[in-house]
Amino acid sequence: MTLVAGVDTSTQACKVVVRDAASGTLVREGRASHPDGTEVAPAVWAAALEQAVAQAGGLDDVAAVAVGGQQHGMVCLDEDGRVVRDALLWNDTRSAGAAADLTRELGGGQAWADAVGLVPVASFTVTKLRWLAQAEPENAARTAAVCLPHDWLTWVLAGRPGLDALVTDRGDASGTGYWSAATGKYRPDLLERAFGATPHLPRVLGPDETAGTSTTGAVLGPGTGDNAAAALGLAAEPGDVVLSIGTSGVVSIVSETPAADPSGAVAGFADATGRFLPLVATLNAARVLDATARLLGVDHEELSRLALSAPAGAGGLTVVPYLEGERTPDRPTSTGAVHGLTLATSTPAHLARAAVEGLLCGLADGLDAVRATGAEVRRVLLVGGGARSEAVRRIAPAVLGVPVLVPPPGEYVADGAARQAAWVLSGAAGPPEWQRPGTEVHEADPTPAVRERYAEVRDLTAQRI
C-alpha cells in the first residue's frame, strides 16, 4: 500500500491525515492545537505539525505530502530565512485602514478587480504589507521574502533549503492581492505600491507540480489554501458550491472562468485543479445558532427541534443576524435585528425558526453574489459545524433554492491536501478518483417568500451602517 499524507494548518489547529494513495482510505490521523490570536510565531505551526505527525504515526512510510493552510497570512523572512516578526493571520484587522487606502489609491474597486480579481480588505496579504511598511518600518526593511502559512510549512518540511526554494500554488497566491488568477501572474507593481519594495515571492506551481522532497524523502505537493483544499477534498466539480457554516460563513463555487467583482463582495480566487473558486465570506454563521440557543436557554438539539416545529417563514418573524456587523453586505457597524414580533410569533419556536432562516438567508445573499459573476450554480455541498443542525440541513434547500448535499463531518482540508499529494505522486492528468464522501441529500423545494421578507427587513436596517 502506497501512503500519502495531507496537512491542514488552520487557524485553530494542525491536522494530519494519512491515506492510501490508490483508494483514499484513511489509515491514521493526528491533531495538535494552535494558540488563539490574530498573530502567531510560525515556529508554533512547526511544533504543532511535529506533534500532529507523531500522533499520526510519523511520515517515514509516506510517499508524498501536501499542505493546505489558512489563507492570506503574512510570513516575512529575512535574507537568511529567519522569521522577521510573528505572522499576521487572515483575521487580524489592523490593516483595515491600509485596505481602504490601497483601494482609493488605485482608483477604486473596479481597478483592483480588473488587476487581480479582488478588492483589498484587511484579510489579504497586500494590506498587511502596507501596514507593516507604515507601522514597523524596521521590520519591513529586514524583509527579504514574503510567503503564506502553507508556503512556509512546505518549506520547513523540505528542510528550509533557501529562499529561492519557496513555492506556492494558484489557490493560495490568488488571495494575496498581488497575483491575478485570470492571468496567472504576479503584479509586482501592486506589491511595490503597497510595500515600497518587491521582496522575493514564492514560485507559483501548477496543481500537479512537485515542490521538492521532504526531509523524510517524501515527494512534496504544492499545497494550497484551505478553501481550495476543501473543495478538492470534497471532489467538488464545476457548478458545485461549497457552503461552509463555521465561525464565519463561506460560499465558494468551482468555476471554469475567473471572477472580478468590483464591489468586493466576491473574491476571484483560483482553485487547486487549474480552475477558479469565486468566494464570498460572511461574518455571521454558526455563532448565530449559538447565540439563539443561549437566548432561549436550550441546547442545539432542542433549538433544531423548536425551529422545525414552527412554520416556514416563522409567521413573519424575521431575524437579520448581523450580530458582529457584517462583511457581505459591507456593514461593519451594523447589529442584529428582530422584526415582525407579534403575540402569535412570541414563542421560542418562532424565534428559533427565524434565526435559522436568517442565517441561511445571509448565506443565500452570498450565493446570489457568486451567481451574479456568471457562475452557474448546480448544487450546494453543506459543511462545517453549523451543518450538524438538523434544522439547518432541512431548511437550507428551501431558502437556497437548489439541491443540497450534506457530506459527513470530516477533515476536508487535510483530505484535499492528501488527494493533491496522491495526484502529484502519480503523475496522472488529474486527481485520483477516490470514493466520494457519503451524503445526505435534500432536494430543492424553494419558499421564495422567506427570502423576500428577509430582504425587506435587511434593507430596513441599512441605516445602521
Side-chain angles (χ1 to χ4, degrees), residues 128-379:
K128 300 180 187 302
L129 287 169
R130 167 60 69 88
W131 174 86
L132 184 70
Q134 293 178 335
E136 299 179 0
E138 292 184 1
N139 282 334
R142 290 179 55 210
T143 298
V146 178
C147 60
L148 303 170
H150 114 257
D151 309 341
W152 186 83
L153 208 55
T154 300
W155 185 69
V156 168
L157 284 169
R160 309 179 196 233
L163 298 183
D164 288 343
L166 285 167
V167 295
T168 190
D169 87 303
R170 297 171 66 255
D172 227 0
S174 64
T176 61
Y178 43 81
W179 187 87
S180 167
T183 66
K185 295 179 180 180
Y186 279 118
R187 288 290 304 265
D189 57 318
L190 298 182
L191 181 59
E192 171 77 28
R193 174 184 290 274
F195 194 53
T198 52
H200 177 75
L201 299 174
R203 182 165 57 95
V204 181
L205 300 179
D208 59 348
E209 286 189 73
T210 178
T213 57
S214 73
T215 55
T216 61
V219 172
L220 289 171
T224 192
D226 51 4
N227 292 297
L232 186 60
L234 287 162
E237 300 174 347
D240 285 350
V241 173
V242 179
L243 196 159
S244 176
I245 305 178
T247 302
S248 61
V250 176
V251 181
S252 61
I253 185 168
V254 179
S255 175
E256 300 284 6
T257 57
D261 177 11
S263 76
V266 180
F269 296 156
D271 80 343
T273 70
R275 298 186 178 96
F276 303 93
L277 197 71
L279 180 146
V280 171
T282 68
L283 291 181
N284 298 280
R287 284 188 287 189
V288 175
L289 304 176
D290 296 339
T292 307
R294 185 168 61 250
L295 185 65
L296 294 176
V298 299
D299 60 17
H300 280 273
E301 183 177 355
E302 178 63 8
L303 179 72
S304 183
R305 188 197 68 78
L306 287 168
L308 291 172
S309 72
L317 186 66
T318 300
V319 171
V320 177
Y322 298 166
L323 306 186
E324 296 183 292
E326 187 46 77
R327 173 176 168 178
T328 309
D330 187 18
R331 299 184 185 178
T333 62
S334 64
T335 60
V338 179
H339 195 273
L341 192 63
T342 66
L343 288 175
T345 60
S346 300
T347 73
H350 283 82
L351 182 59
R353 179 83 185 205
V356 172
E357 290 178 343
L359 163 63
L360 290 167
C361 283
L363 294 168
D365 285 349
L367 186 61
D368 286 348
V370 165
R371 190 182 278 115
T373 67
E376 183 177 350
V377 175
R378 187 166 67 102
R379 60 183 182 177

